[in-house]
Amino acid sequence: MRLKLTEFLKKNSLVLAVIAGLLGFLVYALQSWEFAHSLTTMVWDEAMYLYKGSIFANGEFQPFEDYGPWTNQMPVSFLIPGYIQKWFGMGMYSGRMYAFGLGLLTVVGLSLASYRSGGKWWAVAAIWVVALNSGWIKAFSQVYAQGLVSFFFAWMLALAAGKDRKIWELCLAAALAGLAGMSRINVLPVVFFFIMYVIWQYGWKTGAWVAGAGLFPVVLFHALYWPDVLKIWAYWVPPELYTGIAEFRSPWREVFIPDGFSWWPISNWIGTPDHLAWRGISTFFLAVRANFIPFFGVLVSLLLWPKKESWKSEHQRKFSIFLILVYLVMLVVHLWAALGGKTCLFSCLPGYMLFFDFFGLVLIFAIAPSWNLNKRLWKQIAILFLIFVLVIAMESSYEHDNFVLRNQLGEQSFGINIPRFKNGAWVEGSIPLLEIIENKFGIEKFPVRQYILYDPGFDQVVKWTTILGISFLAPLLLYLLLAKGNRNFNLPIGKVVIFSTFGVGMLFASSGFFVQGLDTLTCSDNVIASHEQVGAELGEVIPAGSQVFWDVKSDMLLLYLPDVDIYLPQANARFTLVSDPAADWDQLERFGWWNYQLGEDWIKQADYIVVETRFFNSVWDWGRRVNAGEFEDVFRSSNPESCRPGISSVVVLQPINP
């Protein structure tokens, strides 16, 4: 029977792989469609790409232009969403449908790259890695740069993977890498790594063509927006290297980490549990959990790097070296940016790793068949130790109170009724599980329930159950299942542990433990429809041509007010609001920044004030000013995100003329 099954699987492997791949693709698509309609958006990034993109696409301003909207990223990340709206209509719907479609194409590109790197079943694995990770799907279902950059890199790898690529494939791959760099400056080094890889793999002649193709979009977009594009380089290029860069450097920049913070020397914080450095370390492992499969795959690949003669081909070896170098360099760059406070206060690291996750993922598929384990005991012990330490670190960074688990165990699981069993036979009636335990072992049920529901010690039980389950119990179970009934079973325990850990990471990728760093709130209703409704309501209240003071964090509702004028620095919400009252107004507006004095000046010119309810009694104290007769409360919108009460609705105020 087993032989017939093996023959059937071997004979129909292609058909089975296609079915498994299509099923995974369908699982991804259904989830992405649901998330596109339910994910909240009252944060800055998504609406920023759409709103500023529409301004650029409609020709009102161009990226980096003086006195225009602050262009805080490379232009492609704005232009593509902007033109999508210009061609298909303004609003959240076109944005989310663009993200949905881009995500589908990204999964196709990733599966093709995986197929060319490892074969059909690795392509299936790639699809399911994404389909089982709700955090990744959520990121790819919104208009984030991560989705666009991942699309470019997925297809870059699809075109570059495998032997004997044609020059046009390599050139197109390089051009996509260049476009990724013109979407986010932080991934621009990838195009240079790819050019060097092609020269190494295919020679100087092919490398010259690829260099031209890869650098073309970089040169093109710099030429289109020269010299104002230097504004984005101003904080990366040292003034000693180019003194003229100072002209393009804004006098203001977001400050993320308090003055005086430093990772060095370690002795300053190692014994201080509440030091900010510990928050950074915790965030690092939060990011590892959210991007576990690629990160773990790179670690294992480094530990089990094959000997030169173990590779299937020299091409595969060089391609794998390219993948791992890109992943490691990108990891270091983004650690420096996120944990060093250059771009955010740690929290953006989980999302940053999405920019280069595919390099680690494809590396696994390219190198796994050649992993050099050789049954050496020290390597297997090292693998066990690595996984054990890594799981401890990840569990220690997991912020949760186990409330749901406690309730389920204490109130539901132990309270479940079990059929009665007496003298070897079933009898009528049932009995609560906890009562069976109480009768059998003499344990009082109320102390047990109290311990589960309230005792802090129970958190340690959960913690170590998780650690031991991932590190030892799951691998042991898999080993026993594989060895059962197979006398010739000879797979090293180290490989079993590795693939067991990958399996746990895949199967539980959407659990709170793994997804926490990329989890985004979803509403039960259709947020696209509710935004369209609120946008229509605002359009009825605010006439076209009105000047509006926009005190709302998200620009999403502005997409439904295309004919009103806002004070452009407010498109950046309060991220570019400075507290210096003596700041030069002209310089502020030139770089897309503002201060409270400019805000008050703009309030005096505004026909309407649109303020988010959570800001109603902050900085500008709108409630007091309404009570003082300065403004009239003329409209309060319904809530476009019902799962966030008190946050997403807006109030429209109109000045009362004396």
Side-chain angles (χ1 to χ4, degrees), residues 192-307:
F192 298 101
F193 275 98
F194 184 67
I195 292 168
M196 290 186 288
Y197 158 72
V198 171
I199 293 171
W200 185 35
Q201 184 81 272
Y202 294 93
W204 284 100
K205 184 177 179 180
T206 301
W209 282 99
V210 168
L215 295 177
F216 176 74
V218 178
V219 173
L220 174 65
F221 283 104
H222 278 76
L224 285 173
Y225 306 120
W226 188 267
D228 290 330
V229 69
L230 289 174
K231 289 177 181 176
I232 203 166
W233 285 105
Y235 290 99
W236 299 85
V237 177
E240 299 82 16
L241 188 62
Y242 174 48
T243 55
I245 202 74
E247 178 187 349
F248 300 93
R249 181 179 289 114
S250 167
W252 307 276
R253 197 179 188 191
E254 296 167 282
V255 177
F256 298 100
I257 291 184
D259 291 338
F261 170 81
S262 175
W263 289 91
W264 309 105
I266 295 176
S267 57
N268 284 351
W269 56 266
I270 194 70
T272 310
D274 59 346
H275 195 280
L276 194 59
W278 288 108
R279 181 178 168 188
I281 292 172
S282 178
T283 303
F284 169 71
F285 286 107
L286 173 73
V288 168
R289 286 190 277 113
N291 302 276
F292 178 73
I293 296 294
F295 181 84
F296 181 66
V298 169
L299 278 185
V300 171
S301 297
L302 286 170
L303 185 62
L304 303 180
W305 194 259
K307 295 178 182 179

Side-chain angles (χ1 to χ4, degrees), residues 612-643:
E612 198 172 337
T613 50
R614 59 175 159 170
F615 300 147
F616 199 73
N617 293 311
S618 61
V619 184
W620 279 278
D621 203 3
W622 301 112
R624 179 191 61 78
R625 297 169 85 159
V626 168
N627 292 333
E630 187 177 348
F631 295 97
E632 179 185 3
D633 185 338
V634 295
F635 175 75
R636 289 181 177 255
S637 77
S638 56
N639 195 331
E641 297 181 350
S642 60
C643 53

Side-chain angles (χ1 to χ4, degrees), residues 495-539:
K495 278 197 173 181
V496 175
V497 171
I498 289 170
F499 285 107
S500 169
T501 306
F502 276 126
V504 170
M506 281 183 62
L507 292 174
F508 296 96
S510 294
S511 67
F513 179 74
F514 285 104
V515 81
Q516 188 180 39
L518 292 174
D519 205 13
T520 308
L521 186 64
T522 56
C523 293
S524 58
D525 55 351
N526 187 328
V527 297
I528 296 177
S530 55
H531 274 82
E532 290 174 344
Q533 178 184 337
V534 173
E537 293 171 358
L538 289 174

Side-chain angles (χ1 to χ4, degrees), residues 29 31-32 239 292 451 465 616:
Q31 290 181 87
S32 182
F292 178 73
Y451 174 74
T465 300
F616 199 73

Side-chain angles (χ1 to χ4, degrees), residues 276-447:
L276 194 59
W278 288 108
R279 181 178 168 188
I281 292 172
S282 178
T283 303
F284 169 71
F285 286 107
L286 173 73
V288 168
R289 286 190 277 113
N291 302 276
F292 178 73
I293 296 294
F295 181 84
F296 181 66
V298 169
L299 278 185
V300 171
S301 297
L302 286 170
L303 185 62
L304 303 180
W305 194 259
K307 295 178 182 179
K308 194 169 184 179
E309 61 271 16
S310 300
W311 293 94
K312 291 192 298 184
S313 67
E314 181 65 6
H315 183 282
Q316 183 203 39
R317 185 179 75 88
K318 289 181 178 180
F319 186 61
S320 298
I321 291 172
F322 160 69
L323 292 172
I324 202 165
L325 280 177
V326 169
Y327 186 92
L328 293 175
V329 170
M330 287 291 96
L331 178 62
V332 170
V333 167
H334 289 85
L335 284 174
W336 170 77
L339 301 186
K342 301 299 180 183
T343 56
C344 66
L345 184 57
F346 307 150
S347 60
C348 51
L349 183 60
Y352 277 0
M353 290 180 70
L354 265 175
F355 285 122
F356 53 93
D357 269 337
F358 286 176
F359 292 94
L361 202 57
V362 174
L363 172 71
I364 299 170
F365 308 142
I367 195 176
S370 304
W371 276 337
N372 182 24
L373 195 61
N374 291 336
K375 304 179 187 177
R376 292 184 180 179
L377 182 61
W378 74 266
K379 284 192 175 183
Q380 300 189 53
I381 293 174
I383 290 167
L384 288 167
F385 181 75
L386 169 69
I387 293 172
F388 186 61
V389 171
L390 183 61
V391 175
I392 288 177
M394 292 193 301
E395 172 62 34
S396 299
S397 69
Y398 184 31
E399 298 177 4
H400 60 109
D401 58 10
N402 289 316
F403 173 78
V404 174
L405 178 63
R406 286 174 181 269
N407 183 64
Q408 287 176 341
L409 285 176
E411 298 291 351
Q412 298 176 25
S413 297
F414 282 145
I416 190 172
N417 288 319
I418 304 296
R420 289 179 176 272
F421 190 78
K422 187 175 182 180
N423 298 326
W426 298 107
V427 297
E428 188 178 352
S430 59
I431 184 172
L433 175 61
L434 197 57
E435 192 171 326
I436 295 175
I437 296 173
E438 182 182 18
N439 295 337
K440 183 72 174 177
F441 301 102
I443 301 173
E444 295 184 15
K445 60 182 178 182
F446 289 109

Side-chain angles (χ1 to χ4, degrees), residues 483-496:
K484 184 180 179 182
N486 188 353
R487 294 180 181 179
N488 299 320
F489 183 73
N490 197 28
L491 191 64
I493 185 65
K495 278 197 173 181
V496 175

